[in-house]
Structures are given as C-alpha cells and as structure tokens.
C-alpha cells in the first residue's frame, strides 16, 4: 500500500508535521510505502480558476510543486491530510491543497473516477490550541462530508486538542494513538 502525507502547515517541526508523520510511521510499520509533503518545503500556488485542467489531458497548468503531489496521487491508496485549525477552519495551505484537487476531476485523472473504482482512503487530521474537542465540530463534520463528496473514503478524522498547553511531541498519550490510526489504514 502506498500512502502520502500532506502537512498543511508552514512549521516544519510543528504539531501538524509531528501528527502526520506519526500516523505515517504507524502505517509504515505495517508495511506501507510512505512519503510526506510539507508546505514548509513546497511552493504551491492557489488555483487560478482557469478550468484548463478540465479541458485537456495535461492536468493543472500551474507549474509548481503541486505537480509532485499530482504525480504521487496517481499511485497512492491513501492520503493523510493534516492541518492546524486557523481561525476555526483548516489552514490556508490546507485549502489551497483542497482547491487544487479540482484537477483530479479532469481527463488526466478520469480513470480513477470510473464507476466502481476503489476510492482512495483519507485520514483527515486536525489539531488545535483549544482543549474543547467539540468547538469546531460542525466545521469538521462538514469538511469530512465535503471530502466524501470528492470521492474519498474518509476513514478517520482525528482532532488533536489542547496544543496551546504544549507541543504535540511532548504529549506522551499521542504517539501510540496516532500510530494506531496509521496501522488501521493498512488493515481496514
Ligand atoms: C493564525 C492562527 C490561528 C489559529 N486559530 C486557532 C483557532 O481558531 N482555534 C484553536 O483552537 N487554535 C488556533 N490556533 C492554534 C493552532 O491551531 C495550533 O497551535 C496548531 O497546533 C498549530 O499547528 P502547527 O504547529 O503545525 O503550526 C491558531 C494558530 C494560528 C497561528
């Protein structure tokens, strides 16, 4: 099984990176091939809204690092998308990634959207400073539904809370929980 992680945060060693990488680690221990992409290392521009991706087999015309993710997406069985909560929603990087997925519904990617095609699995992971896990529930439920409409098989939506009290890497409860999400991605 091939799995990619998308770290939709500018903080290279931040909470989102820790969380996504731990989930990937759990999957790797079960034999998955993993690779992660971090917005801190990438130049990914917003969608131009030109619809060029839908008009020919070339895919998205923006020549930036999203092309590396498009190439990877064609071969993966699962994606782990991690975003911090910024102002009650996914980060701007997460939204740019999501908007650029518009090109997935293009002639270049159309073989993946045949009827009865196996859907790609998705773990949609959020993390936030506030300790209240219910605070953004309507937004998180809506976003899960949105990814299901985008033809993903959303397996888990972990929300890691309370990070204003200290970084994720210092939380002893997290590594095991996160690695279990990754390993269940391989087995489920
Ligand atoms: C611009 C900004 C907006 C934020 N908005 C929220 C918020 O609305 N609710 C919340 O609980 N935490 C909020 N936070 C805290 C982050 O979600 C939290 O620190 C997160 O773990 C950061 O992830 P990172 O280390 O990958 O950047 C915000 C942080 C920033 C920088």
């Amino acid at each position: 099984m091939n799995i990619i992680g998308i770290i939709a945060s500018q903080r290279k060693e931040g909470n989102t990176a820790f969380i996504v990488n731990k989930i990937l680690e759990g999957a790797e221990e079960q034999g998955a091939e993993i690779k992660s992409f971090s917005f801190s290392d990438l130049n990914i521009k917003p969608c131009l809204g030109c619809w060029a991706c839908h008009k020919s087999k070339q895919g998205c015309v923006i020549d930036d690092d999203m092309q590396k993710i498009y190439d990877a997406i064609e071969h993966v069985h699962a994606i782990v998308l991690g975003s911090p909560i910024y102002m009650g929603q996914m980060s701007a990087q997460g939204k740019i990634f999501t908007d650029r997925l518009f090109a997935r519904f293009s002639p270049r990617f159309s073989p993946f959207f045949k009827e009865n095609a196996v859907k790609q699995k998705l773990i949609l992971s959020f993390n936030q400073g506030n300790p209240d896990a219910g605070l953004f529930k309507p937004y998180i439920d809506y976003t899960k539904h949105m990814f299901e409409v985008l033809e993903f098989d959303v397996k888990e939506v972990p929300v890691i809370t309370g990070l204003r009290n200290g970084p994720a890497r210092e939380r002893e409860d997290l590594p095991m929980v996160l690695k279990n999400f990754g390993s269940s991605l391989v087995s489920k």
Side-chain angles (χ1 to χ4, degrees), residues 1-144:
M1 175 180 254
N2 293 315
I3 305 178
I4 56 167
I6 307 292
I7 298 162
S9 166
Q10 228 46 47
R11 297 207 318 138
K12 200 175 171 62
E13 309 283 332
N15 293 325
T16 309
F18 177 82
I19 290 162
V20 170
N21 287 327
K22 275 286 166 233
I23 296 172
L24 291 178
E25 208 179 303
E28 189 176 34
E29 285 174 7
Q30 297 302 315
E33 295 273 327
I34 57 149
K35 185 171 172 56
S36 68
F37 294 90
S38 173
F39 268 75
S40 60
D41 302 326
L42 301 172
N43 172 20
I44 299 184
K45 299 188 178 80
C47 173
L48 293 173
C50 66
W51 289 76
C53 60
H54 284 223
K55 292 177 192 152
S56 81
K57 283 190 184 276
Q58 71 189 346
C60 179
V61 292
I62 305 175
D63 184 15
D64 66 4
D65 290 330
M66 187 68 191
Q67 295 299 336
K68 295 178 195 167
I69 298 181
Y70 289 134
D71 289 343
I73 275 178
E74 286 192 74
H75 307 290
V76 299
H77 304 96
I79 298 174
V80 178
L81 172 59
S83 174
I85 291 284
Y86 274 9
M87 309 308 272
Q89 303 178 31
M90 69 171 71
S91 63
Q93 293 87 340
K95 187 64 169 70
I96 287 174
F97 169 76
T98 307
D99 289 352
R100 295 287 299 275
L101 290 179
F102 190 59
R104 267 167 57 101
F105 298 89
S106 71
R108 174 178 166 188
F109 290 99
S110 58
F112 294 92
F113 296 99
K114 279 189 190 139
E115 221 173 318
N116 300 326
V118 178
K119 290 183 177 182
Q120 280 174 326
K121 298 178 187 179
L122 178 72
I123 290 183
L124 179 61
S125 165
F126 290 101
N127 65 91
Q128 65 185 53
N130 196 292
D132 180 354
L135 198 56
F136 305 114
K137 191 172 181 310
Y139 171 77
I140 287 167
D141 288 348
Y142 165 79
T143 307
K144 173 179 188 267

Side-chain angles (χ1 to χ4, degrees), residues 156-173:
E156 306 280 355
V157 189
V159 182
I160 313 304
T161 62
L163 295 171
R164 69 184 178 202
N165 298 322
R169 68 184 63 257
E170 289 177 8
R171 286 260 297 268
E172 287 177 7
D173 58 315

